[in-house]
Amino acid sequence: MSEDTSLKTTPLTGLWQSMGGRMVPFAGYLMPVQFPEGVMKEHVWTRESCGLFDVSHMGPAFLALNETSLAGDAAHAAIAALVETILPCDVAGLAPGQLRYTTLPNASGGVLDDLFVGRPKADADQGTLYFVVNAGCKEQDFAIIAEACAGKATLTRADDRALIAVQGPKAVDAIGNVGDGPKRLSFMEFATVKGPYGEVVVSRSGYTGEDGFEVLIAADKAEAFVRTLLATAHVKAIGLGARDSLRLEAGLCLYGHDLDETTSPIEAGLAWTIQKVRRERGDFPGAARILKELAEKPSRKRVGLLPKDKAPAREGAEIRNLAGEKVGMVTSGGYGPSVGGPIAMGYVDAAFAAVGTELDLIVRDQPRRWVVAPLPFVPHNYHRKG
Amino acid sequence: MTTKYTKDHEWVSVAGDIATCGITAYAAEQLGDVVFVELPNVGRIVSQGDEVAVVESVKAASDVYAPVSGEVVDVNEALAEAPEGVNEAAETTGWFTKLKLTDPAELDALMDRAAYDTYLAGL
């Protein structure tokens, strides 16, 4: 094999190779971009049935208070106060067992990463937080979290385990293999479950727009778990190619593309990730810019884009108004198998962000007519509480 | 009819002075599901190695190069409506362009099937 030996593997790399996964370098890991059926079929299968994704390259971690005299809500309040110095979401207000999607802003209001933060459900686990950060950002993020909590809380990485996403309308049937507990979770809840695969952390979350779960499992249990799921008729292994087309159809940001150190959460349409209590206090990095944009509206916005014809536009394509002036840029572009045509997201000047606005995307030096479209491109199918 | 192959995985099949060009089954398999094909205008003059078409998969766009020099005399309009035809029959009905050869001697330097198969085996 001519594979780069400096690439990291996951507990499932060997399984994917044996299944004919096309392995590519991604964020320093050797990951399957697709399986023999191909991106199109894998994408549609996930929307209609259940796709299983290896996302072990990502950065799960636990942050625990050093002070052990605190318990329950007091312990949670203490650890929340530590991380609220770096995160703009309401960590203190998390219910037991709740996850939130948030950003890690820099001092100028740009985004260093987007991530999940969760409060464990069990009384014994109060004073601990669960994080999942992006693969390409984990060294940076873990250093920032550790520094913010230095001497007061300790970060324990869990990226030596496997993280497996099970996504799609039939994910709830597949997840029964780890016990009945996960089925009772609602969207953006998580729990630690003991079962045939040892102790696993299961969240009802994902990156496809579908109902589904993400399972953090010990490395030596991962393959048995995955093989059991794949042996059921409605579960197939899915590569990173379809993961990208699924998340783009779902209107979800990809860090380093749709979000970066220059884009603010407000420009990105992520104002909802900054709860009222945090806006009022304004005590997070980048608050000056973020609160100003909340009050005055940002000068540019992330939008969805659909073409009038059939030519895809890719990341980096210039967006012009009908007078030929540059008004933005595509940050993610590809083909949406469930949409049945090309789709794109990008940032445009606020004056051109209204749904229905016609714009030209420059594809191979030729203007192609596109229209600003609502996000997501396909409706979310989450299992919400209530 | 003679069929030759390039290292960029294009094929060219010659009858008289007309060369039918496309991408090989290997290239189509590597690209994955083709979702869009951009073809040149009829009448365009291309030199060997020029970008003559673009083929897009779900994930990425790839250039297709002219395997030989010539004038574009026909393009496979069916691919506009059904780009998946490239995956289904890359080396027959999934052709891209027909070129009127301007330098047939260029064909001599391209690989025949046996040489192309040997080349693929070494990739």
Side-chain angles (χ1 to χ4, degrees):
Chain A
M1 303 295 284
S2 58
E3 278 143 10
D4 184 343
T5 51
S6 69
L7 290 171
K8 288 182 246 178
T9 56
T10 78
L12 298 165
T13 305
L15 177 61
W16 304 143
Q17 288 172 320
S18 75
M19 289 172 59
R22 186 179 295 168
M23 308 302 286
V24 299
F26 185 81
Y29 285 78
L30 185 63
M31 301 299 288
V33 67
Q34 67 168 79
F35 289 90
E37 285 203 344
V39 175
M40 196 86 84
K41 287 198 175 85
E42 291 173 29
H43 176 116
V44 171
W45 183 267
T46 304
R47 289 254 182 268
E48 293 178 352
S49 189
C50 178
L52 185 150
F53 306 72
D54 183 6
V55 293
S56 306
H57 57 305
M58 295 189 70
F62 297 92
L63 181 73
L65 273 185
N66 294 344
E67 172 62 65
T68 54
S69 66
L70 294 173
D73 289 346
H76 178 69
I79 196 143
L82 292 175
V83 300
E84 285 190 357
T85 62
I86 53 170
L87 300 177
C89 79
D90 179 15
V91 181
L94 283 169
Q98 186 186 1
L99 275 180
R100 273 196 168 128
Y101 171 72
T102 185
T103 59
L104 186 64
N106 62 23
S108 50
V111 177
L112 294 167
D113 197 7
D114 59 337
L115 63 150
F116 284 118
V117 58
R119 174 184 181 177
K121 194 170 186 72
D123 282 347
D125 294 333
Q126 299 306 302
T128 297
L129 295 173
Y130 178 44
F131 288 91
V132 183
V133 308
N134 275 304
C137 301
K138 59 187 177 182
E139 302 305 329
Q140 160 203 274
D141 292 8
F142 291 160
I144 291 171
I145 296 167
E147 190 189 340
C149 303
K152 294 174 180 157
T154 302
L155 186 83
T156 305
R157 299 171 68 129
D159 57 345
D160 55 341
R161 305 185 205 178
L163 188 62
I164 297 152
V166 184
Q167 301 280 299
K170 293 183 180 167
V172 68
D173 301 324
I175 205 69
N177 285 294
V178 298
D180 286 337
K183 294 183 181 180
R184 292 193 287 270
L185 297 171
S186 294
F187 180 58
M188 296 302 275
E189 290 182 341
F190 76 109
T192 301
V193 178
K194 289 193 180 79
Y197 303 97
E199 191 172 279
V200 300
V201 178
V202 184
S203 59
R204 199 154 196 169
S205 57
Y207 196 43
T208 60
E210 297 299 323
D211 183 22
F213 301 84
E214 290 169 300
V215 181
L216 182 68
I217 183 168
D220 63 356
K221 300 283 198 297
E223 187 171 331
F225 171 67
V226 167
R227 282 186 184 276
T228 302
L229 264 63
L230 292 178
T232 64
H234 47 269
V235 184
K236 285 185 182 176
I238 309 295
L240 293 180
R243 182 169 155 86
D244 190 53
S245 56
L246 287 158
R247 71 90 196 166
L248 180 53
E249 280 188 343
L252 302 172
C253 291
L254 175 60
Y255 189 77
H257 302 262
D258 311 300
L259 290 173
D260 63 30
E261 293 182 30
T262 69
T263 51
S264 79
I266 311 308
E267 292 172 336
L270 302 178
W272 61 272
T273 66
I274 307 171
Q275 286 76 25
K276 186 164 173 252
V277 61
R278 300 305 309 278
R279 297 180 192 187
E280 287 169 359
R281 295 214 310 268
D283 56 350
F284 49 84
R289 173 182 173 192
I290 289 168
L291 295 177
K292 183 167 186 282
E293 289 181 357
L294 268 171
E296 299 172 9
K297 304 300 173 196
S299 61
R300 57 176 185 159
K301 290 181 178 170
R302 180 171 63 96
V303 295
L305 295 157
L306 286 172
K308 293 267 193 179
D309 64 11
K310 294 185 169 182
R314 306 290 176 173
E315 180 179 1
E318 187 172 308
I319 303 173
R320 294 181 189 160
N321 64 17
L322 301 194
E325 298 157 328
K326 182 177 179 180
V327 297
M329 202 178 77
V330 172
T331 52
S332 281
Y335 185 87
S338 303
V339 169
I343 51 176
M345 294 198 298
Y347 283 82
V348 296
D349 294 349
F352 301 95
V355 168
T357 305
E358 296 201 358
L359 295 165
D360 283 332
L361 272 56
I362 311 304
V363 178
R364 293 180 285 278
D365 301 325
Q366 297 295 316
R368 299 253 186 191
R369 189 61 47 84
W370 287 59
V371 183
V372 176
L375 291 172
F377 295 106
V378 295
H380 291 160
N381 185 28
Y382 299 138
H383 182 75
R384 293 186 190 276
K385 189 179 280 188
Chain B
M1 187 129 75
T2 312
T3 303
K4 293 292 190 84
Y5 302 85
T6 73
K7 289 187 174 179
D8 294 318
H9 308 289
E10 288 101 16
W11 57 267
V12 49
S13 195
V14 181
D17 63 350
I18 300 299
T20 304
C21 307
I23 66 170
T24 65
Y26 172 84
E29 204 275 328
Q30 288 294 307
L31 285 167
D33 305 298
V34 172
V35 298
F36 181 74
V37 176
E38 187 167 291
L39 295 165
N41 293 327
V42 170
R44 193 176 137 194
I45 309 292
V46 297
S47 297
Q48 187 178 39
D50 283 357
E51 293 163 11
V52 69
V54 176
V55 57
E56 303 218 26
S57 66
V58 176
K59 198 80 179 88
S62 305
D63 291 320
V64 178
Y65 304 102
V68 288
S69 304
E71 178 188 348
V72 178
V73 293
D74 197 5
V75 296
N76 189 356
E77 299 285 1
L79 297 182
E81 280 307 310
E84 64 274 17
V86 177
N87 296 108
E88 288 160 4
E91 299 189 20
T92 55
T93 54
W95 62 277
F96 280 42
T97 56
K98 290 185 195 288
L99 303 178
K100 187 172 187 194
L101 291 171
T102 50
D103 185 1
E106 288 171 344
L107 291 163
D108 297 339
L110 302 181
M111 291 178 277
D112 63 14
R113 185 75 224 186
Y116 180 63
D117 285 341
T118 303
Y119 173 68
L120 286 183
L123 292 181

